[in-house]
Amino acid sequence: MAREPLLERLRRRVLLADGGTGTFIQGRAWDVERDFLGHENCSEILNRTRPDFVAGLHRAYLEAGADCIETNTFGANHVVLGEFGLAGETRALNREAAAIARAEADRLSTPDWPRYVLGSMGPGTRLPSLGQIDYDALEASYREQALGLVEGGVDALLLETHQDLLTVKAAINGARAARVELGREAVPILVSVTVEATGTLLVGSDIGAALVSIAAMGVDGIGLNCATGPAEMAEHVRFLCARWPGPVSVMPNAGLPILVEGETRYPLTPEELALWQGRFVEEDGVNLIGGCCGTTPEHIARLRAMLDARSDPAPRPRRVEPEPAVASLYTAVPLRQENAVFAIGERCNANGSKRFRELLAAEDWDGLVGIAREQEREGSHALDVCVAYVGRDEARDMAELVSRLRAQVTVPLVLDSTDPAVLETALKLLGGKSVINSINFEDGEDRPAEILRLARRFGAAVIALTIDEAGMAKSVEDKLRIAERLHAFAVDRHGLPEEDLFFDPLTFTICTGMEDDREHAVHTLEAIERLAERFPRCQILLGLSNVSFGLRPAARHVLNSVFLHHAQQRGMTAAIIHVSKIAPLHRIPEALREAAEDLIFNRWRDGADPLGRFIALFEEAQEEEQAQRAAPASVEERLRRRIVDGDRRGLEDDLEEALQRHDPVQIINEILLDGMREVGELFGAGRMQLPFVLQSAETMKAAVRYLEPRMPRVEGAQKGTLVLATVKGDVHDIGKNLVDIILTNNGYKVVNLGIKKPIQEIIEAAERHRADAVGMSGLLVKSTVIMKENLEEMRRRGLDIPVLLGGAALTRRYVEEDCRRAYTRPDRVHYAKDAFAGLRLMERICAERRAEG
């Protein structure tokens, strides 16, 4: 009987998978020698010794109402079976297991109710990101497992309970290889990861990193299973459904396990599981539900009843606009930064950094990692890594360095090499979504084709330079012509997603004095603008410092900074730069800025050469003297200026002087916060890059730390408790920490959770500390959306605790109109304009609570 393909049915109906296989097996008494052939805990051997039991297991879940059953092959890959001496049986055991499940599914299928078999492929026992197994061995192991499953007749391959994104890549590629070998490329690949109670996968990946990395591999479905119950999964389910357009699966445990009289129990009843899964279906738009550890046929029967009671069996439509991003093993980074370019640190490059080259020659790996970590601290969103050095083994050096960087920096890597073999070596070490730098047509199309195949295989973005067989494009027309060819080649022919293609239209030095070089910057800016219009979904990148080659460092820093601003205004989205050597426009003296712009745009004033005029401005001055403006006379203005400039030198002396005239609260509220307000305005206007915002924040923190011991502290009983956190996806904490200090010094208990906190953790802390209110902070515009989502989740949980919202991107109108509508008690959502407004709100909240008794 022909079945409707699984993916088509998932689009038309919410489907139900089975429950816990392990739970079912562990609930029986076994003769280890007879049933397991002495291989205790090797459940997969039951497919051969007790096919009757395995068939009964599948039948129980099918009779309970499951649309899909999973094969008893969770650990049946070559590596795991090898631990039992059964590696040689891998393909056969998987084929036998799939055949058992296939027979039971077919027996209960009808034309109106087809049943499906999912080939279970678990995470194994060794994690490649921790160096416990190499990539090639893992991919080969999963290939062999997938061969048996597909031969046995599965409808899809389900990679489940995965905890390491590099394992996921190996399993996907192994499964793909098996499909091709058997001519069954249409068999879908579904991936389900396990988020621990800590909020991350076992190796530390957050759900954003998992989604970006797995989606880049071109799978058919993504989901969650195991580790926790549905309550702990809720936030992650919502995240996936809001950002992944394909099918989403959710298979939680029957709650968090508890120990009862020495035995593990799962507390969630079938009715409670059905309530949660009903919410995931109706509110989030989940396509496939089921159960994991602790769930039984009774749980599945209740889920069947819940689904059958729906008036419309179809999944709830989801409007999803995926956000272009790359990812390290740990976290995702959007390619479109808010009021900033995607900054790629340039100093982990043997071609461009003398210090890096010297450390590489000395094989000082710790020193090389130190350079990477410096760039991360400076605010780089990703790191360009190039170890090509004459006389050295590039592939070996890349492997040595990347294996260290993947564990010691949290930002994604840009793999910079012209050798596909070197790129492949690096990609086999990285679980996240990397960027490959780069492809071009200088030697034809063979090498870029090979690199693009690697990008598709490992889920990487690609930088494409406007170079062809005739050389590097310098005119606007040539840059656009080659970009058109690159787009057709990478996107149309090789299937690279548009958002993963970075155009580098190239910039060349304008500092030679030769007439042919004077218009390079103008041509590049015009090309950027036209590329942004022609390919709005693609990224546009420059190796920025090329424009200033030949100048002294001080002049290069100014010219690079001004050129960056204009390139960003024209549509550039990314740049390879030295972040700490870029200055925001407001810090560059007007005369220098104008001279730099004259040089960039080749503007001659009164017949004077703009290059000569620009160079002359630097001949007598040191970089620092040119960059700094005259210090203001008043200490109040000096302090405000320090905050805006992120300048901590001499800060304590100025604070001491200010304390002679003002109390600490006045200094914070009337002087320092005024500086931070200007920082926010500059950031919002695009005149200050994010790294400089962070420098200002660090200066503000240092000032507040110095003033805190001098602030009056209210003694006596605590007035109330506030749980405070920066919301998920946001790392900015200056405002939050200031609220902490102000409230603590006024007699309140503040539970400061830190940055990037998911709502589950905030709720748990509020309940644990019996908080009077919750405070959520964030600087970015996207953080305001997350705040609203958090309020919606709190409403779903039936919470009505007062909530304070604060952050530079928030407005009173947004809080009082949009956010309030999302909450259980709209009157309990408050806009905290600053820390002192937060203090007044807490005073009012706690007074109202006392009045209520």
Side-chain angles (χ1 to χ4, degrees), residues 692-769:
F692 304 106
V693 175
L694 300 179
Q695 290 175 21
S696 295
E698 289 300 320
T699 304
M700 181 74 175
K701 289 180 189 178
V704 172
R705 278 197 303 268
Y706 187 80
L707 294 172
E708 185 181 5
R710 295 160 174 79
M711 294 173 66
R713 181 179 291 273
V714 175
E715 302 296 339
Q718 290 172 347
K719 297 178 178 179
T721 299
L722 173 70
V723 166
L724 190 59
T726 301
V727 297
K728 184 176 180 179
D730 201 320
V731 299
H732 304 94
D733 62 357
I734 179 61
K736 171 181 65 65
N737 291 345
L738 185 54
V739 170
D740 185 353
I741 291 167
I742 297 300
L743 265 68
T744 299
N745 281 281
N746 280 273
Y748 293 90
K749 176 184 177 182
V750 177
V751 181
N752 191 336
L753 300 179
I755 61 173
K756 297 172 66 175
K757 293 302 173 184
I759 187 58
Q760 177 69 22
E761 191 170 335
I762 296 171
I763 290 172
E764 289 174 355
E767 293 173 343
R768 184 166 61 251
H769 294 279

Side-chain angles (χ1 to χ4, degrees), residues 15 19 32 78 139 154 304 570 808:
L15 297 186
V32 174
H78 188 276
E139 181 179 317
V154 300
R304 178 79 269 158
R570 295 291 187 98

Side-chain angles (χ1 to χ4, degrees), residues 113-176:
W113 191 0
R115 309 297 183 100
Y116 299 90
V117 176
L118 309 179
S120 173
M121 302 173 71
T125 54
R126 304 179 198 175
L127 302 176
S129 290
L130 300 184
Q132 296 171 346
I133 187 171
D134 71 83
Y135 175 89
D136 288 329
L138 205 53
E139 181 179 317
S141 173
Y142 281 111
R143 170 190 158 276
E144 192 169 1
Q145 181 178 19
L147 284 169
L149 290 170
V150 174
E151 287 173 330
V154 300
D155 296 290
L157 296 169
L158 174 62
L159 284 52
E160 61 170 325
T161 323
H162 280 267
Q163 304 152 337
D164 183 345
L165 299 180
L166 192 51
T167 301
V168 173
K169 290 192 177 189
I172 292 170
N173 284 327
R176 284 174 172 164

Side-chain angles (χ1 to χ4, degrees), residues 604-654:
W604 293 59
R605 297 178 187 268
D606 301 323
D609 182 349
L611 176 60
R613 178 169 174 265
F614 184 72
I615 292 173
L617 289 173
F618 288 89
E619 284 183 348
E620 302 297 329
Q622 296 294 321
E623 176 184 357
E624 186 175 326
E625 295 171 342
Q626 286 287 348
Q628 288 185 334
R629 288 168 282 181
S634 73
V635 68
E636 292 84 1
E637 181 58 23
R638 287 203 304 275
L639 283 171
R640 193 185 71 82
R641 194 77 253 150
R642 286 189 185 282
I643 297 298
V644 175
D645 291 343
D647 181 10
R648 281 181 272 179
R649 292 168 298 178
L651 175 64
E652 294 183 2
D653 292 339
D654 282 350

Side-chain angles (χ1 to χ4, degrees), residues 256-265:
L256 291 172
I258 56 177
L259 203 61
V260 179
E261 297 178 352
E263 292 185 3
T264 300
R265 303 279 178 84

